[in-house]
Amino acid sequence: MKISTVLKFSVSIVLAGLIFYFVFRNVSFSDFTERLSSVSYGWVFLSMVLSIVSHLLRSYRWNLMLEPLGYKLTLWRTFLALMSGYLANLAFPRLGEVTRCGVLKRNDGVPITVGFGSVITERVLDFLILLSLIALDLILEMDQILDYFMTSVRYDQWRANGWLITAVIAILLVGGVVGVLGLRYILKNEYSNETLNKIRAKLADMVNGLMSIRKVKSPVGYILSTIGIWVLYFLMSYVIFFSMDATSFLGFGAGLSILAAAGVAMAAPVQGGIGAYHALVSGVLTIYGVEATTGLFFATMLHTSQVIMYIVVGGACLVISLFVKKRIRTEFSI
């Protein structure tokens, strides 16, 4: 194993541990165990089922992306690869992308570069959708957010550090513009330096991967499956509101905020969003009047239910993928 891989793994473990410690440092374990008896687990189970359905839709969408490239696969086989990847993400951030492409290569002969290109397309699209959801959440829930800050001591902190917040926003905006202009410049030029050319090639793959959506043979299926995936993501957290009396009053706006927070947390460079997920989701719930410990318990229950699903379903898919008959690809070609 490369030293760089060991370092990345070690850093992600340490980072997850530090965030987890910071979030749970004042939590009583006995308090958490007592709360378990008051949970309606039918809603938690429903959340897990909705999650599985969303992954089936994602597998279907992945098939739509691979078909124009010459690979017509069954939903079952791409689902095996996808869930194996989600299981791998629990061990190491971003390992899932490599794992799912590796399983597809082993069982269906899809080259790693082809599989990874389709995954890049998927990730770019999901990132843009997540940004849109965050913007929508800020617009719809602005009154709730402002009311929270203005009626708490956090408003004084926000006002005292207003210049810092303004500077961060300005840096992000300027950075975004510079990044877009820099990307265009890099893609338009070739370099004598091999490293720069490799960077240029990877950036070009990302752009070309995103543009490959135009080649999908069923645009309607692609759009509907994408909408379905994110609606199910929303419902996964929303239905768990009803598993506890303390969160059963929360509505659509809170569910949208949880979806946005969870999406950001899962993008953090830690295994399965551990720590970051708990911090962001519980933090969002305080805006809606949920007590801090209750919010943290909710975040833990939601996250743990998904981890259990990934271990059970992903583990089963990984084992099955080792025994499925390898597909000899003869009828399709790029």
Side-chain angles (χ1 to χ4, degrees):
M1 184 179 293
K2 295 181 179 180
I3 295 178
S4 59
T5 302
V6 175
L7 288 175
K8 289 179 182 178
F9 182 77
S10 300
V11 169
S12 63
I13 285 286
V14 172
L15 181 60
L18 288 174
I19 297 175
F20 195 82
Y21 169 76
F22 178 78
V23 173
F24 286 89
R25 68 189 188 284
N26 296 321
V27 173
S28 169
F29 180 75
S30 60
D31 183 25
F32 262 41
T33 55
E34 289 176 6
R35 292 171 183 264
L36 291 173
S37 60
S38 62
V39 174
S40 299
Y41 288 99
W43 294 108
V44 179
F45 179 75
L46 176 59
S47 174
M48 297 168 73
V49 171
L50 292 172
S51 177
I52 294 172
V53 176
S54 75
H55 299 319
L56 285 169
L57 277 180
R58 186 174 287 276
S59 300
Y60 167 74
R61 191 180 70 173
W62 196 12
N63 280 345
L64 294 179
M65 296 168 65
L66 291 171
E67 187 176 359
L69 302 176
Y71 299 88
K72 189 173 179 64
L73 308 179
T74 64
L75 178 66
W76 169 241
R77 296 175 82 98
T78 45
F79 181 72
L80 291 177
L82 179 71
M83 296 309 298
S84 298
Y86 280 127
L87 178 67
N89 269 337
L90 296 179
F92 188 73
R94 310 281 82 85
L95 180 60
E97 284 79 357
V98 177
T99 301
R100 62 192 274 194
C101 294
V103 172
L104 216 57
K105 161 69 174 171
R106 178 185 180 278
N107 293 337
D108 295 279
V110 179
I112 294 291
T113 52
V114 173
F116 199 69
S118 64
V119 172
I120 289 175
T121 304
E122 179 183 273
R123 287 291 177 252
V124 172
L125 177 62
D126 286 341
F127 176 71
L128 294 176
I129 292 175
L130 178 60
L131 288 181
S132 300
L133 288 174
I134 292 173
L136 177 63
D137 181 53
L138 289 175
I139 293 172
L140 295 179
E141 298 298 290
M142 183 59 70
D143 290 342
Q144 182 76 35
I145 295 171
L146 289 177
D147 181 65
Y148 170 75
F149 279 103
M150 291 184 179
T151 57
S152 69
V153 295
R154 292 172 180 80
Y155 175 66
D156 294 332
Q157 298 172 357
W158 175 83
R159 185 172 57 182
N161 296 297
W163 66 271
L164 179 59
I165 296 174
T166 303
V168 170
I169 293 175
I171 290 173
L172 290 175
L173 290 175
V174 173
V177 173
V178 172
V180 172
L181 295 177
L183 178 61
R184 290 187 60 185
Y185 178 81
I186 292 173
L187 293 177
K188 285 184 177 180
N189 295 276
E190 292 189 9
Y191 308 92
S192 57
N193 185 285
E194 184 179 351
T195 301
L196 290 177
N197 277 324
K198 286 182 178 179
I199 294 174
R200 177 183 178 277
K202 289 184 178 181
L203 291 174
D205 285 342
M206 291 179 64
V207 175
N208 291 333
L210 182 59
M211 293 300 102
S212 69
I213 295 177
R214 296 177 299 178
K215 301 177 183 178
V216 172
K217 294 182 180 179
S218 177
V220 174
Y222 191 91
I223 293 171
L224 290 179
S225 60
T226 300
I227 294 173
I229 289 169
W230 285 92
V231 169
L232 287 166
Y233 281 175
F234 168 81
L235 292 175
M236 280 163 46
S237 56
Y238 182 75
V239 297
I240 292 191
F241 285 160
F242 305 107
S243 67
M244 300 190 302
D245 291 338
T247 56
S248 60
F249 70 93
L250 296 171
F252 173 84
L256 184 60
S257 297
I258 293 296
L259 175 61
V264 173
M266 295 307 291
V270 292
Q271 289 81 349
I274 296 175
Y277 190 99
H278 302 78
L280 289 177
V281 171
S282 61
V284 164
L285 287 176
T286 61
I287 296 177
Y288 293 89
V290 177
E291 188 266 331
T293 303
T294 301
L296 189 54
F297 177 79
F298 174 90
T300 303
M301 182 170 58
L302 178 56
H303 184 266
T304 302
S305 65
Q306 292 304 306
V307 169
I308 291 173
M309 186 276 295
Y310 288 138
I311 292 175
V312 174
V313 179
C317 287
L318 180 60
V319 172
I320 294 172
S321 69
L322 298 176
F323 295 97
V324 298
K325 184 178 180 180
K326 295 182 180 180
R327 177 174 176 269
I328 300 175
R329 183 175 177 274
T330 55
E331 67 272 33
F332 297 100
S333 59
I334 297 177

